[in-house]
Amino acid sequence: MSQQVNEQELVQYITERTKIDPQKIALVLKHEQAFIDKATKEAKDEVSIDSDELVDYVMSRPDVKLDELKVETILDTEMDYLVKKGIVKYVD
């Protein structure tokens, strides 16, 4: 996640829209960041993240006790937030 993102604001945004526990949201976002950091270290240029691989990675973490739909909802809502703030763009 970029330095431009206020994590507390992001978690609140996702919580308001999904009604999922903020601690569970923060945990998913933490694992997402670890996945992105690993992909960034392995790449020399831009990083392309496959959303299915990301969800699988988060779901494989032993401390994540959410179903796949909730993890996808958290990540989709995060993307909505980031697009709305102009921090990221979808690439075709």
Side-chain angles (χ1 to χ4, degrees):
M1 222 173 315
S2 166
Q3 320 287 57
Q4 303 170 26
V5 176
N6 176 328
E7 187 175 349
Q8 185 175 1
E9 182 181 299
L10 173 60
V11 170
Q12 181 179 351
Y13 178 91
I14 296 170
T15 301
E16 288 172 358
R17 282 153 185 79
T18 66
K19 308 301 183 219
I20 297 172
D21 181 326
Q23 290 180 328
K24 292 179 180 178
I25 292 168
L27 183 63
V28 168
L29 297 177
K30 179 186 93 167
H31 288 307
E32 174 197 29
Q33 189 62 52
F35 181 86
I36 292 169
D37 289 347
K38 183 179 177 195
T40 303
K41 286 179 187 172
E42 294 173 359
K44 295 192 193 270
D45 207 359
E46 289 187 14
V47 177
S48 177
I49 303 295
D50 180 287
S51 61
D52 291 333
E53 288 178 14
L54 174 57
V55 170
D56 289 344
Y57 175 82
V58 172
M59 292 295 301
S60 73
R61 304 297 91 195
D63 55 348
V64 174
K65 306 293 185 212
L66 296 170
D67 62 44
E68 187 172 342
L69 182 58
K70 286 184 180 164
V71 170
E72 288 176 349
T73 300
I74 290 168
L75 297 173
D76 289 345
T77 307
E78 176 198 24
M79 185 59 81
D80 292 344
Y81 172 87
L82 296 173
V83 169
K84 185 184 238 182
K85 292 286 188 176
I87 296 169
V88 300
K89 295 186 238 179
Y90 284 105
V91 179
D92 293 329

